[in-house]
């Protein structure tokens, strides 16, 4: 059964053709570039990952693998559900309760973005934040007052980068047929991706009824990574956006996108009390393209800590394997 599942995952993760090919020829409004004077929207570039050279590693402690380190079961991970998949082979590198169905919080917004892009909606159309977009489930705050207008593209940027719930809800509300049609499209997309243990009730992730498993989310991350807009917006470190005549600065909720030590292609965080701290990423670690899923982490920084522990372990294991092969 594991062989069949591995084969299916490998086939899905190994897709070479983009799932979304409707990207416009003109460049998006928001770019990963240093802010220019007088510009309405500018994004600071994400630092490039440093090459793993002896010069870059000079002065840094090197953690060598031991026989205990070679077993991922000995990793002290604080997330209750974990999955690290090698995208080349589709095989699980690290796995912990990866089939557990649980709330996924704002990881939901990756599905929200895919549904919007699949519909081919005009990213430059102006949409508004309405009373319907105010969080009545958790009472969370937002930096987007009712009446704020922005392009659909900016709303997607703020939803993916800063996890703005009102922006995500507005994206669903301005979908043809409204929120109910949007949620049906979310669940149809999940079924098409083989996410059979997943269910979506709304586009923000504030509802604890938005549930999935680590395995299903690995499928969703791999699919979302085929969309240039999602890759770009979810890994944008900072953005300066003009809203209602005022310039406002927004930052990415995942601090790792600003780290020189990570090469991240896609990222999304999530949090509600029922889901705990969550993090999904597509990244290159120890020379491998991987999908990392961390759900229900029990501390504010523990999901980041788990990601770093997994990265160090993979790098140490890779170094140990290279030495044994030499």
């Amino acid at each position: 059964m594991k062989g069949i599942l591995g084969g299916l995952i490998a086939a899905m993760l190994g897709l070479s053709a983009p799932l979304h090919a409707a990207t416009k020829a003109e460049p998006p409004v928001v770019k990963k570039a240093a802010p220019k004077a007088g510009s309405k929207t500018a994004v600071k570039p994400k630092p490039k990952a440093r090459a793993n050279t002896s010069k870059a590693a000079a002065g840094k402690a090197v953690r060598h693998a031991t026989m205990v380190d070679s077993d991922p079961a000995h990793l002290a991970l604080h997330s209750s559900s974990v999955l690290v998949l090698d995208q080349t082979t589709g095989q699980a590198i690290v796995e912990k309760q990866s089939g557990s169905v649980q709330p996924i919080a704002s990881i939901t917004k990756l599905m929200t973005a895919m549904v919007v892009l699949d519909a081919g909606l005009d990213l430059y159309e102006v949409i508004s934040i309405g009373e319907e977009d105010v969080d009545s489930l958790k009472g969370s705050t937002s930096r987007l007052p009712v009446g704020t207008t922005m392009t659909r593209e900016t709303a997607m940027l703020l939803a993916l980068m800063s996890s703005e719930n009102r922006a995500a809800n507005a994206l669903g509300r301005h979908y043809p047929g409204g929120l109910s049609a949007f949620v049906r499209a979310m669940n149809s997309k999940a079924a098409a991706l083989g996410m059979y243990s997943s269910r979506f009730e709304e586009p923000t992730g504030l509802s604890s009824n938005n549930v999935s498993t680590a395995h299903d989310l690995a499928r969703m991350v791999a699919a979302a990574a085929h969309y240039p807009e999602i890759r770009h917006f979810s890994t944008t470190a900072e953005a300066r956006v003009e809203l209602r005549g005022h310039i406002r600065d927004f930052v990415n909720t995942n601090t790792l996108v600003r780290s020189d030590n990570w090469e991240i292609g896609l990222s999304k965080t999530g949090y509600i009390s029922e889901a705990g701290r969550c993090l999904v990423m597509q990244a290159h670690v120890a020379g491998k393209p991987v999908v990392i899923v961390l759900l229900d982490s029990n501390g504010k920084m523990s999901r980041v800590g788990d990601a770093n522990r997994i990265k160090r372990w993979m790098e140490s294991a890779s170094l140990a394997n290279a030495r044994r092969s030499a």
Side-chain angles (χ1 to χ4, degrees):
M1 189 67 184
K2 288 185 177 179
I4 296 174
L5 179 59
L8 289 174
I9 295 174
M12 185 276 299
L13 292 175
L15 289 172
S16 58
L19 298 181
H20 173 69
T23 306
K24 298 194 173 185
E26 64 268 23
V29 172
V30 182
K31 290 178 175 288
K32 291 182 183 177
K36 297 181 180 179
S39 63
K40 290 188 176 182
T41 307
V43 177
K44 296 181 180 179
K46 182 182 67 171
K48 294 181 179 179
R50 285 197 296 254
N52 186 20
T53 64
S54 57
K55 181 178 180 181
K60 294 184 179 179
V62 177
R63 180 176 177 272
H64 298 293
T66 66
M67 291 305 292
V68 173
D69 291 331
S70 66
D71 184 356
H74 290 91
L75 277 167
L77 301 177
H78 298 285
S79 302
S80 69
S81 181
V82 178
L83 182 63
V84 181
L85 280 182
D86 184 329
Q87 285 193 279
T88 301
T89 66
Q91 298 301 309
I93 300 172
V94 179
E95 205 165 3
K96 174 185 176 183
Q97 297 186 39
S98 57
S100 173
V101 177
Q102 51 194 294
I104 60 171
S106 286
I107 307 301
T108 295
K109 294 181 175 74
L110 290 176
M111 180 63 77
T112 297
M114 283 195 288
V115 170
V116 171
L117 293 168
D118 284 348
L121 302 177
D122 183 2
L123 294 183
Y124 302 103
E125 180 184 353
V126 174
I127 64 175
S128 62
I129 302 298
E131 291 287 352
E132 309 94 321
D133 303 316
V134 176
D135 172 21
S136 60
L137 290 173
K138 305 296 182 185
S140 62
T141 59
S142 172
R143 299 177 64 195
L144 305 178
V146 172
T148 299
T149 59
M150 68 194 75
T151 64
R152 185 175 275 111
E153 179 187 56
T154 298
M156 188 178 297
L157 166 71
L158 297 180
L160 291 174
M161 179 186 72
S162 296
S163 211
E164 270 288 350
N165 292 312
R166 292 183 185 180
N169 200 74
L171 287 171
R173 191 168 54 80
H174 286 86
Y175 185 83
L179 270 177
S180 59
F182 189 81
V183 172
R184 286 196 298 272
M186 293 176 77
N187 286 298
S188 294
K189 180 72 172 179
L193 292 175
M195 299 172 61
Y196 301 125
S197 297
S198 303
R199 178 192 172 199
F200 296 93
E201 189 173 83
E202 47 79 40
T204 69
L206 288 167
S207 171
S208 59
N209 291 326
N210 285 11
V211 297
S212 189
T213 67
H215 268 290
D216 276 7
L217 292 181
R219 289 178 176 270
M220 186 171 77
V221 169
H226 284 80
Y227 297 72
E229 300 91 342
I230 297 178
R231 294 197 308 269
H232 178 73
F233 294 157
S234 72
T235 58
T236 295
E238 302 175 12
R240 181 164 289 177
V241 182
E242 181 178 334
L243 298 172
R244 306 184 79 179
H246 298 283
I247 300 297
R248 301 188 182 277
D249 293 321
F250 293 84
V251 299
N252 201 302
T253 53
N254 180 10
T255 59
L256 294 178
V257 302
R258 294 185 285 278
S259 171
D260 290 345
N261 298 319
W262 279 88
E263 186 180 349
I264 299 172
L266 179 147
S267 164
K268 189 69 197 79
T269 64
Y271 172 75
I272 56 174
S273 57
E274 297 93 334
R277 307 278 173 177
C278 304
L279 173 64
V280 297
M281 295 190 295
Q282 188 280 329
H284 274 77
V285 179
K288 295 177 183 291
V290 297
V291 171
I292 299 173
V293 180
L294 303 168
L295 301 178
D296 190 22
S297 192
N298 60 10
K300 188 173 183 180
M301 295 302 296
S302 54
R303 60 188 172 188
V304 171
D306 280 354
N308 282 323
R309 277 183 281 274
I310 289 168
K311 182 174 181 291
R312 287 193 299 267
W313 171 78
M314 286 185 63
E315 290 170 343
S316 294
S318 176
L319 179 61
N321 289 335
R323 286 175 174 171
R324 281 194 294 268
S325 299

